[in-house]
Amino acid sequence: MAAAEAGIALLAVPIWLLPSWTGWIWPLLGPEGLVGWPGEVVKLTVSVLTVASPAFLMGAVLPFLASAVLGENRGLSRHGVWLYAVNTLGGVLGLSLVIGFALDLLGASGAMAGAITLNIIVASAAMIIDSRTAPLDVEAVEAASPRRSPGKLNPRRQQVVLARQGGIRRAAMVASFASGLGFLALEVLFLEMVTLRAPLSFHATSAVLITVILLLAVASFVVPSITPGRIDSRRLLVGAASVSSVLIVLTPAIFRHFALDPSWETPASSVAHFALGLTGLALFTLGPAVLAAGLVFPAAIAWAGNEGGDEQGRRWGALLAVNGAGAVIGAEVAYRVLMPALGIYSSVGVVAVFYVLVALWLVIESRRVGGGNAGRASLVGPVVSALVVVGTLAAVGGYQVDSDARPGVLYERSGREGTLRVIDDERFGRAILVNNRYLLGTSSGRWDEERQTHIPLLLHPGPRTVAHIGSGTGITPGAALRYAQVEKVIALELSAQVRDAAALYFTEFNNGITDDERASVLVEDGRTYIASTVDAFDVITGDAYLPWGGGVGRLYSVEHFAAVRAALRSGGVFCQWLPMHQLTGEQFELIANTFASVFDDVYLFRNTFYLRSPGLALVGFRDGDLDWETVKARSAAVRTEGSVLDPVARHHEALAMLYLGRYQAPSGDVTINTLNNVVLELSAARERVTGNIPGKYMIGLSWLRFVRASAARIDDDPLLPPWVLELSQLGAVASDYEAARAGRDDRAEVLLREFRARVPAVVVNDTIADWARWPGDRTLVRRAFGR
């Protein structure tokens, strides 16, 4: 055990240092190798080499410990199951400490170092105990065990007992495998159920995982307390599988009843409040099924040790192994087969049927190996459970994944990336809805989304190769296809589900990006792909990633920004969009300071005058500087080509209205977001689950104050052309008008007249531009100059 714990600590070091030693791999592969079979082989190899070795030793610790302590008066069916329970409870404590304290206090790298230190401490303790403990006389212990040595019986009876014990151990092995398969499939489905209602963050996932593991520990403590005195292990095993099936099939209805209650949407006052509330919901709605299913594996262990005659736990490692193998298969079956084919709730019904079949098989098998009428009598429970499960499924007829808006559904698919729906809604048109919680692009916001590509393309003198990270509906990267000089567009999307939905339902909005020969929509991690390229692109655009998403903070890390700069050609432009409606002021400064640590000068552009969901771009150049003469020339070329109708893209004057100046990073040491500290994801997740969005995110008046302050700071830039200064301040007037009109303030009329008097005539007189694409309230341009 000491050797295994020490080995875990040693083999975890490569994971701890992963970002520092894997950076050379991706450029060596190159983009073509990364997206082909060599990339798949390399990623799998790295994962196996770094994760499999320490995980293998982690799996060996408990069997090693059992071999050291079981024997004499300590048997597998009681003390072995208690060891498993305590080990599982330790998992609850470890997960809670990491999520609740270690990550916030130490960052990801520090938390990993703490875990390695803990392995070393445990290894040292095991060595000390080993040095003070006499070796166990295994032969003497086995000779003293009547279950393992039925030598006092006559030879025929001895053969019968040994055969029966062997049959029970084999049946317990199958039950352990089935338990792992069913339990992990159930865990995956329950997690997906919760993500349809809970705010998306790792806190929500962690709360459910803690609940599940805690209940598994409780179930493991229960088994030794009631077997074999109150109930024999076989009956408990059959009963647990039977009861599990009934509780599982009822869980979706119970969960939906309580989770769809509007009070569940009440913001939490703190992360602890949120975690306790979600844990309570999980315990009450999911807990009964999880607890019953959690009894199956420890009951199988007790069966193998007690009736199976393996009280010394010689085959406990095998039981753990097949349980783990079943768990891997169960999770993959849920993700790859059940959810895509049936959806979440119907898949839960399939798992309930699986537990019925397990219970029936156990009755038949235990009768075969045990004889007598016990098996026939215990058939009642599984049969009754089967009737309840089938009756419930027939009555329910399958559940649908309801969203709050209940829009028309064109497409729905569930899988590893969550539940995705393509919907048509009168409020926002066609959209991709992910996990009922956020929209991944809408047709009503098409022009603002296209503008996220127009702006960086106008800042480069001759963009020919373009990359966009986070394709989504394809609307934003598809806008690059409107430019004749663009020869290649690479759109990177992590989710195959999203890529397929964009190809099927958004072609009319994304300029057919999935069919255009100039474009490639690749299902690949954007950070890894960009790291594999060097001097490849004239323009790279990062989508407005929601910072609280799992792993999304890596796309705002200093390592990623440095890789983007290396992937740009000389004079290349990087434009990173930020969802300001999902960021606090401190989080914006964190990202901006991280960006500024890589790019010498950082320029700010917004993509709309709206105050509700503003987008802000951080713009940096590999070398060179923002040249407004280049912008003038590019706008003139756009007007000549005539393929882009957005007034902002057609007129440098209109683009200047969206300019908010340079970002001035504070002097001295500042906190930046790295792969090792994941400070942004931690902060964003905390804010996400504690509500009070209008009071902390940069929307409405807080965003307006930011715009006004930025416009005021532009005066301090001596290199800025006067006309840009004038028009940037006019853009602030447009936002003031939006705020005044929304608040029914009398100042709206004054601001309207000021805007009308100051807007350049060349913009007003453009009759070719499509003024429906104006980046803000249409009443402003309609009332100001009749557009």
Side-chain angles (χ1 to χ4, degrees):
M1 178 183 170
E5 288 285 350
I8 293 168
L10 179 64
L11 294 173
V13 171
I15 305 178
W16 180 32
L17 304 175
L18 193 68
S20 62
W21 66 267
T22 56
W24 62 272
I25 297 175
W26 316 122
L28 182 64
L29 267 176
E32 292 79 11
L34 179 67
V35 299
W37 68 264
E40 294 299 323
V41 171
V42 168
K43 286 184 283 188
L44 179 62
T45 301
V46 170
S47 299
V48 169
L49 291 179
T50 55
V51 177
S53 299
F56 175 83
L57 292 180
M58 289 178 189
V61 168
L62 198 56
F64 285 164
L65 179 61
S67 68
V69 302
L70 295 182
E72 296 181 348
N73 296 321
R74 295 185 295 271
L76 176 64
S77 62
R78 190 172 183 84
H79 300 88
V81 176
W82 273 339
L83 277 178
Y84 176 74
V86 172
N87 183 263
T88 306
L89 191 61
V92 175
L93 179 60
L95 184 57
S96 300
L97 289 175
V98 169
I99 299 300
F101 301 99
L103 283 176
D104 283 322
L105 295 177
L106 306 174
S109 180
M112 188 68 172
I116 291 173
T117 301
L118 186 60
N119 286 127
I120 295 173
I121 293 173
V122 173
S124 301
M127 285 294 293
I128 293 172
I129 295 172
D130 181 69
S131 66
R132 297 179 178 180
T133 305
L136 183 67
D137 189 344
V138 178
E139 294 182 359
V141 171
E142 290 190 350
S145 173
R147 294 190 180 275
R148 291 292 296 148
S149 181
K152 296 180 181 180
L153 302 176
N154 63 67
R156 185 174 179 181
R157 180 59 179 166
Q158 181 178 347
Q159 290 180 353
V160 172
V161 171
L162 290 175
R164 178 175 180 274
Q165 290 177 344
I168 289 175
R169 291 194 296 270
R170 287 190 294 272
M173 200 79 70
V174 175
S176 298
F177 176 83
S179 173
L181 192 153
F183 194 87
L184 258 290
L186 191 66
E187 181 178 324
V188 165
L189 296 171
F190 282 178
L191 277 171
E192 294 300 325
M193 282 170 52
V194 172
T195 59
L196 293 176
R197 294 301 301 169
L200 298 179
S201 76
F202 74 92
H203 290 106
T205 303
S206 301
V208 177
L209 284 176
I210 288 172
T211 302
V212 170
I213 300 172
L214 175 63
L215 290 172
L216 185 58
V218 171
S220 301
F221 277 114
V222 167
V223 170
S225 303
I226 61 176
T227 60
R230 300 180 184 178
I231 182 173
D232 66 71
S233 305
R234 180 193 58 79
R235 289 182 181 273
L236 177 60
L237 189 55
V238 174
S242 301
V243 173
S244 296
S245 65
V246 174
L247 293 175
I248 289 169
V249 81
L250 296 176
T251 296
I254 298 171
F255 177 80
R256 285 161 55 87
H257 174 75
F258 288 96
L260 293 177
D261 190 316
S263 63
W264 171 241
E265 299 294 336
T266 303
S269 58
S270 65
V271 173
H273 179 198
F274 168 81
L276 288 174
L278 184 56
T279 300
L281 177 70
L283 283 171
F284 185 75
T285 59
L286 313 178
V290 172
L291 183 62
L295 290 169
V296 174
F297 181 52
I301 296 174
W303 193 30
N306 194 357
E307 288 94 331
D310 188 24
E311 287 291 14
Q312 282 67 52
R314 285 302 189 89
R315 293 168 181 80
W316 194 21
L319 290 172
L320 290 168
V322 297
N323 182 257
V328 172
I329 295 172
E332 291 302 309
V333 167
Y335 278 130
R336 296 178 182 271
V337 180
L338 295 180
M339 288 172 60
L342 303 174
I344 297 173
Y345 295 118
S346 296
S347 296
V348 173
V350 172
V351 176
V353 172
F354 174 76
Y355 271 92
V356 167
L357 296 176
V358 170
L360 290 170
W361 178 85
L362 283 168
V363 170
I364 296 171
E365 185 65 11
S366 61
R367 181 186 178 189
R368 186 183 68 81
V369 299
N373 295 323
R376 188 160 46 246
S378 60
L379 192 62
V380 175
V383 170
V384 171
S385 299
L387 293 175
V388 173
V389 169
V390 173
T392 301
L393 292 176
V396 171
Y399 294 104
Q400 297 298 318
V401 180
D402 293 330
S403 67
D404 295 332
R406 298 180 183 274
V409 180
L410 303 178
Y411 174 87
E412 180 176 323
R413 182 61 59 89
S414 295
R416 192 180 301 277
E417 297 118 7
T419 296
L420 177 146
R421 307 175 89 189
V422 177
I423 58 178
D424 270 335
D425 184 86
E426 60 183 11
R427 295 172 299 171
F428 39 75
R430 185 163 297 177
I432 294 179
L433 178 66
V434 179
N435 285 336
N436 282 348
R437 308 308 295 172
Y438 68 93
L439 296 170
L440 198 65
T442 66
S443 61
S444 65
R446 176 183 182 182
W447 311 127
D448 290 339
E449 294 168 31
E450 283 198 352
R451 199 172 299 114
Q452 293 179 184
T453 289
H454 292 321
I455 291 176
L457 290 184
L458 293 172
L459 305 181
H460 192 283
R464 297 185 180 278
T465 56
V466 178
H468 184 86
I469 307 170
S471 178
T473 60
I475 292 174
T476 301
L481 299 174
R482 296 183 182 275
Y483 295 82
Q485 74 271 34
V486 171
E487 299 172 353
K488 181 174 73 172
V489 177
I490 299 294
L492 302 167
E493 175 53 54
L494 187 61
S495 169
Q497 291 180 2
V498 172
R499 188 270 315 273
D500 294 343
L504 291 171
Y505 296 98
F506 288 88
T507 300
E508 61 183 294
F509 306 110
N510 60 26
N511 294 309
I513 188 172
T514 55
D515 300 319
D516 195 295
E517 61 182 13
R518 291 182 293 165
S520 299
V521 181
L522 305 178
V523 178
E524 183 57 73
D525 176 53
R527 187 178 69 85
T528 305
Y529 184 90
I530 291 299
S532 72
T533 62
V534 179
D535 298 323
F537 298 104
D538 296 314
V539 173
I540 298 176
T541 306
D543 205 48
Y545 327 114
L546 299 174
W548 34 261
V552 174
R554 293 175 294 178
L555 292 172
Y556 293 120
S557 67
V558 65
E559 294 89 347
H560 174 61
F561 290 157
V564 170
R565 183 168 185 174
L568 290 170
R569 292 173 175 171
S570 179
V573 180
F574 177 41
C575 179
Q576 177 61 66
W577 288 97
L578 305 180
M580 303 305 287
H581 62 291
Q582 295 288 337
L583 293 171
T584 65
E586 293 79 9
Q587 290 162 2
F588 161 70
E589 291 178 358
L590 172 65
I591 298 173
N593 290 338
T594 304
F595 194 95
S597 69
V598 175
F599 293 90
D600 298 330
D601 294 290
V602 182
Y603 304 91
L604 305 179
F605 286 86
R606 50 183 170 152
N607 71 333
T608 179
F609 299 121
Y610 281 122
L611 307 179
R612 294 190 301 271
S613 300
L616 181 70
L618 304 175
V619 176
F621 293 78
R622 174 165 180 167
D623 45 54
D625 205 349
L626 173 59
D627 183 359
W628 284 98
E629 293 302 316
T630 295
V631 176
K632 282 185 179 181
R634 293 286 296 119
S635 296
V638 168
R639 292 195 300 274
T640 300
E641 291 177 7
S643 58
V644 178
L645 302 181
D646 189 323
V648 169
R650 293 174 58 82
H651 298 280
H652 58 275
E653 299 91 343
L655 178 58
M657 295 183 202
L658 297 176
Y659 180 58
L660 294 179
R662 296 174 186 252
Y663 176 75
Q664 300 295 331
S667 58
D669 293 334
V670 296
T671 300
I672 61 174
N673 187 51
T674 72
L675 294 177
N676 285 331
N677 65 22
V678 294
V679 61
L680 175 64
E681 185 175 335
L682 293 171
S683 172
R686 284 195 301 270
E687 299 296 342
R688 174 69 176 169
V689 301
T690 53
N692 189 28
I693 291 175
K696 59 190 177 185
Y697 289 150
M698 297 183 70
I699 57 177
L701 293 179
S702 63
W703 170 246
L704 184 60
R705 287 192 292 269
F706 177 85
V707 170
R708 290 170 177 168
S710 299
R713 283 196 301 268
I714 291 180
D715 284 332
D716 300 330
D717 189 348
L719 302 178
L720 191 68
W723 64 269
V724 177
L725 171 62
E726 167 69 18
L727 290 169
S728 177
Q729 294 174 340
L730 181 59
V733 172
S735 291
D736 281 334
Y737 171 81
E738 300 257 356
R741 185 172 182 273
R744 300 183 179 179
D745 191 330
D746 293 339
R747 292 180 60 250
E749 292 300 319
V750 176
L751 294 167
L752 175 64
R753 289 193 294 270
E754 180 181 355
F755 184 83
R756 181 189 295 128
R758 295 172 60 183
V759 70
V762 66
V763 177
V764 175
N765 296 328
D766 188 347
T767 58
I768 298 177
D770 181 359
W771 290 94
R773 308 183 189 192
W774 175 255
D777 193 332
R778 283 290 314 283
T779 62
L780 178 61
V781 294
R782 185 170 60 248
R783 296 188 61 197
F785 35 86
R787 295 299 182 188

